[in-house]
């Protein structure tokens, strides 16, 4: 114990170094691409299809069960991208892999990952990967890390100001969330089941805080 105490009392050796050079920036297109992300088929209206987005992002489960719902968008030129669950337990990996494989066989070859560990699942079935907000990429070097990991694009952290995103060295296509609700948390317990006593995952539900603000609660993969 005395030896440990003495060791703890020594000042740490401070390392010094230089900041690595900023990653090289790719040429940024003058006209940004437009991406629509949906959680339900009710959101996928004909009016939005007529806006001809370049990409549509859909939850993996929704894409599997309602594959034809995205056809009006695909016929207008949109590229469909499967969104992986934010949380995947080891016991769920095989189910996710099988669903991605079935989508790949139907011609879907891109997916959106918010967790570095999920990239391996996507690549096992041949999917190209885009980086979601969950990677929390804050600076030019983090964005370049996504490029080195083989991602097609990456979403800048929504905690960054617009000026900060502007000043990033964009070594790969950079995505920006510009409209819509931001997720607050993921609960492993089904809030709806705990409240109602039985599973009502598809019924509208919301939480409120002490200030009276309302927060929609929506089902996530695995009844989260």
């Amino acid at each position: 114990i005395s030896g440990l105490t003495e060791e703890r009392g020594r000042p740490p050796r401070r390392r010094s170094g230089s900041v690595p050079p900023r990653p090289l920036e790719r040429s940024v297109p003058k006209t940004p691409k437009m991406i629509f992300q949906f959680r339900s088929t009710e959101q996928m209206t004909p009016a939005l299809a007529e806006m001809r987005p370049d990409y549509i992002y859909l939850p993996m489960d929704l894409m599997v069960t309602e594959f034809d719902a995205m056809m009006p968008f695909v016929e207008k030129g949109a590229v469909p991208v499967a969104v992986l669950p934010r949380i995947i337990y080891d016991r769920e990996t095989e189910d996710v892999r099988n669903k991605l494989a079935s989508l790949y066989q139907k011609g879907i070859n891109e997916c959106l990952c918010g967790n570095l560990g999920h990239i391996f699942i996507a690549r096992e079935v041949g999917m190209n990967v885009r980086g979601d907000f969950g990677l929390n990429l804050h600076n030019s070097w983090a964005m370049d890390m996504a490029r080195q990991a083989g991602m097609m694009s990456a979403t800048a952290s929504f905690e960054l100001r617009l000026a900060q995103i502007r000043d990033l060295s964009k070594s790969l296509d950079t995505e920006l969330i510009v409209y819509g609700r931001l997720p607050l948390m993921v609960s492993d317990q089904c809030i709806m089941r705990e409240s109602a006593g039985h599973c009502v995952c598809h019924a509208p539900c919301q939480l409120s805080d002490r200030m009276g603000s309302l927060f929609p609660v929506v089902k996530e993969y695995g009844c989260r």
Side-chain angles (χ1 to χ4, degrees):
I1 292 175
S2 298
L4 289 172
T5 301
E6 181 180 350
E7 183 70 23
R8 291 180 62 191
R10 295 173 185 163
R13 181 176 64 87
R14 299 196 178 278
R15 296 179 297 173
S16 61
S18 57
V19 177
R22 286 171 63 90
L24 295 177
E25 184 169 18
R26 293 178 55 185
S27 59
V28 179
K30 295 184 182 299
T31 303
K33 302 292 185 180
M34 185 164 55
I35 302 170
F36 291 170
Q37 183 163 354
F38 303 107
R39 292 197 61 91
S40 67
T41 53
E42 288 76 18
Q43 294 176 312
M44 303 170 68
T45 63
L48 289 181
E50 289 298 326
M51 295 183 69
R52 297 178 178 269
D54 298 283
Y55 298 89
I56 55 170
Y57 289 177
L58 295 163
M60 174 194 70
D61 269 351
L62 182 65
M63 192 176 281
V64 169
T65 59
E66 304 287 347
F67 191 83
D68 291 340
M70 62 184 179
M71 287 302 109
F73 291 86
V74 175
E75 291 168 359
K76 299 290 186 182
V79 176
V81 179
V83 180
L84 264 65
R86 292 179 64 190
I87 297 172
I88 303 174
Y89 284 160
D90 288 346
R91 64 176 181 270
E92 299 165 338
T93 302
E94 190 64 25
D95 178 60
V96 172
R97 185 185 295 112
N98 291 339
K99 288 177 178 177
L100 283 180
S102 70
L103 291 173
Y104 185 76
Q105 291 172 0
K106 292 181 178 181
I108 307 300
N109 57 21
E110 296 184 18
C111 70
L112 186 69
C113 292
N115 184 305
L116 288 176
H118 299 169
I119 297 174
F120 299 99
I121 303 174
R123 287 186 174 158
E124 281 179 347
V125 300
M127 290 273 190
N128 296 314
V129 177
R130 297 181 179 275
D132 204 357
F133 69 88
L135 298 176
N136 211 29
L137 302 176
H138 261 87
N139 57 54
S140 302
W141 294 272
M143 296 296 290
D144 195 54
M145 177 277 301
R147 179 193 62 80
Q148 294 177 46
M151 296 184 191
M152 302 176 67
S153 67
T155 306
S157 171
F158 54 65
E159 295 179 2
L160 293 173
R161 297 189 304 275
L162 194 59
Q164 292 174 311
I165 296 175
R166 177 200 63 203
D167 293 340
L168 289 175
S169 289
K170 300 168 183 67
S171 56
L172 79 170
D173 289 343
T174 303
E175 300 181 18
L176 166 66
I177 298 174
V178 298
Y179 177 80
R181 292 184 179 274
L182 297 175
L184 196 62
M185 67 180 75
V186 179
S187 170
D188 198 50
Q189 302 299 318
C190 180
I191 297 172
M192 305 174 192
R193 184 177 63 241
E194 295 296 329
S195 175
H198 58 93
C199 187
V200 288
C201 277
H202 295 290
C205 183
Q206 57 191 14
L207 294 175
S208 63
D209 63 11
R210 60 185 179 84
M211 303 299 291
S213 298
L214 298 178
F215 302 91
V217 178
V218 295
K219 181 181 179 181
E220 177 61 274
Y221 177 81
C223 203
R224 300 187 179 96

